[in-house]
Amino acid sequence: MKENRLEEFAPLFFPKTHVVIGASANPFKFGGRFLRTLINFGPKGKLLVVNPQETEIAGLDTYASVRDIPGPVDFASIVVPARAVPPIVEECLEKGIKGVQILSSGFSEAGEQSKQWEKQIAETASRGIRVIGPNCFGVYSPEGGLTILPGETLPKESGPVAFFSQSGGLAIRIPRRASGLGLRFSQVVSYGNASDINECDLLEYFYHDPKTRVVGCYLEGVRNGPRFFKLLKEVTRVKPVVIWKGGLTESGSRAVQSHTASLSGAISSWNSLFRQTGAVGVNSIDELLDAILAFTHLSPQSGRRVCVIGGGGAVGVAASDACERVGLTVPPFSPELHEKLKKIVPAAGGSARNPVDIGNPFPDTKALKTVLESVARSGEVDSLIVDGLELAVEKNRDPENSELVDTIGRDNVQAIMDLKKMPGSSLKSLMVVMPIEATGTDGIEAESARRRVRDKFLAEGIPVYMTLEGAVSSLSRLAGYGEHLER
Amino acid sequence: MKENRLEEFAPLFFPKTHVVIGASANPFKFGGRFLRTLINFGPKGKLLVVNPQETEIAGLDTYASVRDIPGPVDFASIVVPARAVPPIVEECLEKGIKGVQILSSGFSEAGEQSKQWEKQIAETASRGIRVIGPNCFGVYSPEGGLTILPGETLPKESGPVAFFSQSGGLAIRIPRRASGLGLRFSQVVSYGNASDINECDLLEYFYHDPKTRVVGCYLEGVRNGPRFFKLLKEVTRVKPVVIWKGGLTESGSRAVQSHTASLSGAISSWNSLFRQTGAVGVNSIDELLDAILAFTHLSPQSGRRVCVIGGGGAVGVAASDACERVGLTVPPFSPELHEKLKKIVPAAGGSARNPVDIGNPFPDTKALKTVLESVARSGEVDSLIVDGLELAVEKNRDPENSELVDTIGRDNVQAIMDLKKMPGSSLKSLMVVMPIEATGTDGIEAESARRRVRDKFLAEGIPVYMTLEGAVSSLSRLAGYGEHLER
């Protein structure tokens, strides 16, 4: 079963010969843009073109029809108008092509008449060819040399995250945003109307795919509820599945009707699905990315006892409120740990309790290190969140003083990174919050510095969040999944 | 009463002669950094220094004590250690100084012993001098030439927003972040332990201040509950008050104890305060800024019927869900409006219903303009949110095609801006959502472009949000305040 599923999808994700049917030399046409994007991204196998009007497009072998291609082809992208698609899928089957993606729209989402074409496609698919789409953006598979429009500049390296989406727009926005957060994908699949391949097939593939560790998806509806439920229960035993279910409100459900014509389902049944399967529910693009970031870097055995270390009292108050709202605790320290920290943290303008207020957004590195290490060794908390420290200071902020301040930032970053590998630490997770403080057009240098420091943390497997709320919500989701695994 | 209050605070916010007591020539000392920051920001009145060890600091007239200053002084900043503060405040009173800010910490927040000093200060204050602090960052007042450390680069222009904060850290973070969002302040006041001037005094001042239109604050506790409640009820009749109350959970309340030793209060009593007074409650720095942005630009008569226009189906689904979750509605269009839009919006890959999916993140400007204007004239919705359009396209994203794409972005921005002043529009508010899609270090050019386009919208009074959730939550808060005003 497992081998079959992986083998079945190989032509779709790692094609040896890929033909684009309906590609054009005109970059203003969809087929032209798509072809150029593929070429610029860098195909891994052989790339061919079918276009009856032209004899050579972009220097590639060009044929009038699929039938005219001499050698074997395993994958086709179809970008012709909807009404022309059904006979082309039939031709692809005859040619022995194993998989196609239909990027054209104008099928069941466009009305009764066009539903017929989609039925024909499904019927052809049932006779031995797998179909992604129609009305989709298709596949981004860095290892297979496939990308989504406009994903020319998406990373060429693979990674442990899989994402599939009923929305094409999200299938490009998610990997684009995620790439800046250091996340890399095995595959991203926009599967549109799911005439053949649907959320269950994809979930099953990524379940078996050894390269995928974290699965994310955006769903508007599910075709086969019982199968999805059963499968989800199995998958979450071995890898986390983060689900953004769109259309869980009345207006949202109406919007789903216009978008993908899916049956949206009641919020109560989805809530019980999350509870029973251990799948992780999120409600926005930011929550989705924040959760995937946590699941990629941290263990689900993260626990709920949090220590927050910040450089300012309000940071601690805000963090405590935010933790409690999502079901995490900020437990008081033991008298021993409190006494120990009191020797380091300034009595005026600081706090040696949990949350720790180190009294200054640029703390002395030695003091910060001692606080971090004492908390990490104490066994009194599971997780540590660092917030409200200025870790990325642009040189010119404090002109007469820049050398000093810049060094403090750098050393403090190192102190936090060292904690991750510190022997004797009983911390299960470590997170850093680095919001954008310099929001102006004149703050772009500072934003650049912030991103560079963020990338240093990410490279060490320390997730960095833009908001405190994003960090604690993700930690709570992680802990909730951990608790599900234990049950 | 009104005139008195404004007159009483004039020396604190617009000092004619300002003496910094405890300033130093050493930029590594707090008093040295503070003085340099003030000088670089640009004082409006005369700036003097008191330091018994030195004869001249930073080219300013320097005295051994306040008593030695020949002419009148109306304002003092005190940066000496806690134990030395009480006699200095006494000296200031004798000198005829009308207001002081005490930036030093180590008072009631540091334990029993130091509480005594704070009591002495309060006693002195009762005899005719107003005191901000201690344990605070003091006043940022662009019109008065005052700034907070490290607020050297905060805007020098004034604006309609006032913010006061029990947290010093937030008193710098809020105006810094807000400045990039185009928000300008009358004053920002960090008032720390409130030995004299407290949240009620500040609320009353900003109530009367004709330059302040929107009041924001961060509170950990309130000294005089009944007075605050009564005052708040009056203020909200003429201007909105946005309150972030820290410590509304058990752990948060504990953190408040370590931070400002305030009595935090139960969540239930705060919730009823918000309900009864019409004050607007928020729970994070982002929510605070998002709400202030809405209240600055939009009328509270904004209503709850929203149209969302986006370039992708999932955007509309997400927007509908998000609206309904915060109590806004996305009403279906009338058959007439629907038919009208159907002629413009592509049937395949778009939706002429509400939410409108214009089918493409780079829509044709003429089509976009017609959709925007038809909705604005329809009277069927109160507010319009534009989300999911690519409005800031960096030139090199689509190399062969950059000229075209860049022009579409620019023209579409103009089309949205034109809507704001369009005759015949029945829209009460217009918002744009522009998230950061290019999150990587290599995306800094795109982020710069995003900020430039954002600033164009802001200059036209159109608030721009980083997240859809921020936009709809703020709109809901605005509508809620409008409903309170009508009751």
Side-chain angles (χ1 to χ4, degrees):
Chain A
M1 173 67 183
K2 174 177 165 176
E3 293 309 317
N4 287 355
R5 185 62 77 197
L6 292 179
E7 207 179 293
E8 202 179 341
F9 276 70
L12 295 153
F13 294 163
F14 315 100
K16 294 194 190 77
T17 305
H18 174 188
V19 56
V20 182
I21 303 172
S24 154
N26 182 348
F28 292 91
K29 286 194 175 167
F30 181 84
R33 283 187 68 198
F34 177 66
L35 185 68
R36 205 184 51 210
T37 299
L38 273 183
I39 294 171
N40 291 345
F41 184 71
K44 290 285 163 79
K46 209 169 159 185
L47 193 59
L48 310 173
V49 173
V50 163
N51 182 320
Q53 270 88 50
E54 308 193 34
T55 50
E56 198 238 78
I57 293 174
L60 301 172
D61 290 344
T62 303
Y63 301 92
S65 98
V66 165
R67 272 177 291 230
D68 301 330
I69 303 174
V73 179
D74 50 355
F75 183 59
S77 295
I78 301 178
V79 294
V80 302
R83 65 167 52 79
V85 173
I88 285 181
V89 179
E90 196 65 39
E91 276 180 38
C92 287
L93 174 67
E94 282 164 25
K95 171 70 190 167
I97 292 176
K98 299 285 180 243
V100 300
Q101 58 181 9
I102 304 169
L103 308 187
S104 327
S105 57
F107 291 87
S108 63
E109 83 285 5
E112 280 307 314
Q113 195 191 355
S114 350
K115 264 188 189 158
Q116 200 45 45
W117 300 328
E118 201 166 311
K119 276 189 191 149
Q120 277 177 263
I121 294 167
E123 193 278 323
T124 309
S126 71
R127 284 183 281 119
I129 183 169
R130 299 304 314 247
V131 177
I132 292 175
N135 187 29
C136 75
F137 282 27
V139 177
Y140 162 58
S141 174
E143 201 187 322
L146 292 176
T147 194
I148 271 172
L149 194 70
E152 203 169 287
T153 56
L154 287 178
K156 291 185 176 49
E157 324 89 66
S158 287
V161 183
F163 179 68
F164 55 93
S165 172
Q166 226 168 326
S167 149
L170 278 178
I172 179 67
R173 286 175 81 190
I174 291 289
R176 199 194 281 168
R177 281 211 205 174
S179 79
L181 308 174
L183 295 170
R184 295 295 178 267
F185 291 82
S186 49
Q187 274 84 33
V188 171
V189 183
S190 152
Y191 65 101
N193 294 4
S195 65
D196 173 34
I197 289 175
N198 63 29
E199 50 286 334
C200 287
D201 302 309
L202 291 164
L203 189 56
E204 198 176 29
Y205 175 84
F206 292 121
Y207 174 36
H208 295 307
D209 176 30
K211 290 171 188 161
T212 296
R213 287 197 294 110
V214 179
V215 182
C217 59
Y218 171 79
L219 300 175
E220 297 197 341
V222 165
R223 274 134 207 92
N224 185 338
R227 186 184 159 205
F228 187 71
F229 181 88
K230 192 164 164 274
L231 196 52
L232 205 49
K233 257 183 126 164
E234 276 180 60
V235 183
T236 57
R237 269 187 225 136
V238 288
K239 43 189 101 172
V241 182
V242 182
I243 300 178
W244 178 10
K245 169 63 182 74
L248 279 185
T249 65
E250 202 188 307
S251 341
S253 170
R254 230 174 340 101
V256 159
Q257 273 303 308
S258 312
H259 185 213
T260 53
S262 304
L263 285 171
S264 178
I267 182 160
S268 57
S269 38
W270 277 91
N271 280 340
S272 87
L273 173 137
F274 290 127
R275 216 171 30 246
Q276 290 178 53
T277 61
V280 177
V282 293
N283 283 314
S284 70
I285 188 167
D286 294 288
E287 286 186 10
L288 178 70
L289 286 169
D290 284 348
I292 288 178
L293 191 63
F295 280 101
T296 301
H297 290 298
L298 305 175
S299 150
Q301 273 79 38
S302 272
R304 293 195 173 268
R305 299 173 308 160
V306 180
C307 170
V308 181
I309 297 185
V315 168
V317 174
S320 304
D321 279 340
C323 282
E324 198 162 315
R325 283 189 185 113
V326 298
L328 302 174
T329 65
V330 185
F333 289 148
S334 66
E336 297 72 43
L337 183 55
H338 176 57
E339 285 306 317
K340 199 168 175 182
L341 298 188
K342 258 174 85 175
K343 290 181 195 124
I344 310 154
V345 173
S351 169
R353 302 177 191 277
N354 189 16
V356 179
D357 174 2
I358 201 156
N360 185 340
F362 304 99
D364 168 69
T365 303
K366 234 176 95 183
L368 177 66
K369 225 176 155 64
T370 313
V371 170
L372 292 170
E373 292 180 2
S374 305
V375 171
R377 288 210 176 91
S378 71
E380 297 183 18
V381 293
D382 305 305
S383 302
L384 198 151
I385 299 178
V386 179
D387 185 15
L389 299 189
E390 302 224 23
L391 298 168
V393 183
E394 74 271 43
K395 282 243 184 212
N396 57 358
R397 243 280 293 301
D398 195 354
E400 295 178 36
N401 208 357
S402 69
E403 208 46 56
L404 179 80
V405 169
D406 198 54
T407 304
I408 291 178
R410 201 161 51 230
D411 291 351
N412 287 349
V413 168
Q414 193 58 52
I416 297 164
M417 293 200 304
D418 289 346
L419 196 67
K420 172 105 181 175
K421 298 169 189 159
M422 188 188 76
S425 164
S426 59
L427 286 181
K428 285 160 193 154
S429 50
L430 172 61
M431 287 175 156
V432 176
V433 180
M434 293 185 76
I436 300 181
E437 303 288 350
T439 51
T441 30
D442 57 351
I444 209 74
E445 269 304 311
E447 173 57 7
S448 185
R450 191 191 70 85
R451 293 183 182 190
R452 286 193 303 272
V453 173
R454 175 199 63 186
D455 291 354
K456 280 170 91 171
F457 284 122
L458 292 172
E460 297 292 318
I462 300 170
V464 178
Y465 288 87
M466 293 267 284
T467 66
L468 176 65
E469 290 70 29
V472 301
S473 307
S474 305
L475 193 56
S476 172
R477 291 190 166 101
L478 196 71
Y481 178 62
E483 287 150 10
H484 172 84
L485 288 181
E486 277 171 26
R487 277 193 293 267
Chain B
M1 174 67 184
K2 175 178 165 177
E3 292 310 316
N4 286 355
R5 185 61 77 199
L6 291 179
E7 207 180 293
E8 201 178 342
F9 277 69
L12 294 153
F13 293 163
F14 315 100
K16 295 194 187 79
T17 304
H18 175 189
V19 56
V20 182
I21 302 172
S24 154
N26 182 347
F28 291 92
K29 285 192 174 169
F30 181 84
R33 282 186 70 199
F34 177 65
L35 185 67
R36 206 184 51 210
T37 299
L38 273 183
I39 295 171
N40 291 345
F41 184 70
K44 289 286 163 76
K46 209 169 158 185
L47 193 59
L48 310 173
V49 174
V50 162
N51 183 320
Q53 269 89 50
E54 308 193 34
T55 50
E56 200 237 78
I57 293 174
L60 302 173
D61 290 344
T62 304
Y63 302 92
S65 98
V66 165
R67 270 177 292 230
D68 302 329
I69 302 173
V73 179
D74 52 353
F75 183 58
S77 294
I78 301 178
V79 295
V80 302
R83 64 166 53 77
V85 172
I88 284 180
V89 179
E90 195 64 39
E91 277 179 38
C92 288
L93 174 67
E94 284 163 25
K95 172 69 191 165
I97 291 175
K98 299 286 179 244
V100 301
Q101 58 180 10
I102 304 170
L103 308 186
S104 326
S105 57
F107 292 87
S108 65
E109 83 284 4
E112 279 307 313
Q113 195 191 353
S114 350
K115 265 189 188 157
Q116 199 45 46
W117 300 328
E118 202 166 311
K119 276 189 191 148
Q120 277 176 261
I121 294 167
E123 194 279 321
T124 309
S126 71
R127 284 182 281 119
I129 183 169
R130 300 301 316 246
V131 177
I132 293 175
N135 188 29
C136 75
F137 282 27
V139 176
Y140 161 59
S141 174
E143 202 188 322
L146 293 175
T147 194
I148 272 174
L149 195 71
E152 202 168 287
T153 56
L154 287 178
K156 289 182 178 51
E157 323 89 65
S158 288
V161 184
F163 179 67
F164 55 93
S165 172
Q166 227 169 326
S167 150
L170 278 178
I172 179 68
R173 286 175 82 190
I174 291 289
R176 199 194 281 168
R177 280 210 206 175
S179 79
L181 307 176
L183 295 170
R184 296 294 178 266
F185 291 83
S186 49
Q187 274 84 32
V188 171
V189 183
S190 152
Y191 65 101
N193 294 4
S195 65
D196 172 36
I197 289 174
N198 62 30
E199 50 286 335
C200 286
D201 302 309
L202 291 164
L203 189 56
E204 200 176 26
Y205 175 84
F206 292 120
Y207 174 35
H208 294 306
D209 176 31
K211 291 171 188 162
T212 298
R213 287 197 296 109
V214 179
V215 182
C217 60
Y218 171 79
L219 300 174
E220 297 196 341
V222 165
R223 276 135 206 92
N224 186 339
R227 185 182 163 209
F228 187 72
F229 181 87
K230 193 165 162 276
L231 195 53
L232 204 49
K233 256 182 127 166
E234 277 180 59
V235 184
T236 55
R237 268 186 226 137
V238 289
K239 40 190 103 172
V241 183
V242 183
I243 301 179
W244 179 10
K245 169 63 182 74
L248 279 184
T249 65
E250 202 188 306
S251 341
S253 171
R254 233 177 334 101
V256 160
Q257 273 302 310
S258 313
H259 184 213
T260 53
S262 305
L263 285 173
S264 179
I267 182 161
S268 57
S269 38
W270 278 91
N271 280 340
S272 88
L273 174 136
F274 290 127
R275 216 173 28 248
Q276 290 178 53
T277 62
V280 178
V282 293
N283 283 314
S284 69
I285 188 167
D286 294 289
E287 287 186 8
L288 178 70
L289 286 169
D290 284 348
I292 289 178
L293 190 64
F295 280 101
T296 301
H297 291 298
L298 305 176
S299 150
Q301 274 77 36
S302 272
R304 294 195 172 268
R305 298 175 308 161
V306 180
C307 169
V308 180
I309 297 186
V315 169
V317 174
S320 305
D321 280 340
C323 282
E324 197 162 317
R325 282 189 185 112
V326 298
L328 302 174
T329 64
V330 185
F333 289 147
S334 66
E336 297 72 42
L337 183 54
H338 175 56
E339 285 306 315
K340 198 168 178 183
L341 299 187
K342 257 174 87 173
K343 291 181 195 126
I344 310 153
V345 172
S351 169
R353 301 176 192 278
N354 189 16
V356 179
D357 174 2
I358 202 156
N360 184 340
F362 304 100
D364 169 67
T365 303
K366 234 176 92 184
L368 177 66
K369 224 174 155 62
T370 313
V371 170
L372 292 171
E373 293 181 0
S374 306
V375 171
R377 288 212 177 91
S378 72
E380 297 183 18
V381 293
D382 306 304
S383 304
L384 198 152
I385 299 178
V386 179
D387 185 16
L389 298 190
E390 302 223 24
L391 298 168
V393 183
E394 74 273 43
K395 281 245 185 213
N396 57 358
R397 242 283 290 302
D398 196 353
E400 294 178 37
N401 209 356
S402 69
E403 210 44 57
L404 180 80
V405 169
D406 198 52
T407 304
I408 291 180
R410 200 161 52 229
D411 292 350
N412 286 350
V413 168
Q414 192 58 51
I416 297 165
M417 294 199 304
D418 290 346
L419 196 68
K420 172 105 182 174
K421 299 169 190 161
M422 188 189 75
S425 164
S426 59
L427 285 182
K428 286 161 194 154
S429 51
L430 173 61
M431 288 174 154
V432 177
V433 180
M434 294 185 74
I436 300 181
E437 302 287 350
T439 51
T441 30
D442 58 351
I444 208 74
E445 268 305 310
E447 173 57 8
S448 185
R450 191 190 70 85
R451 293 183 183 192
R452 285 193 305 271
V453 173
R454 175 198 64 187
D455 291 354
K456 281 170 89 171
F457 284 122
L458 291 172
E460 297 292 318
I462 300 169
V464 178
Y465 288 87
M466 293 266 286
T467 65
L468 176 65
E469 290 70 27
V472 301
S473 307
S474 305
L475 193 56
S476 172
R477 290 189 167 101
L478 196 70
Y481 177 62
E483 287 150 9
H484 172 82
L485 286 181
E486 277 171 27
R487 277 194 293 265

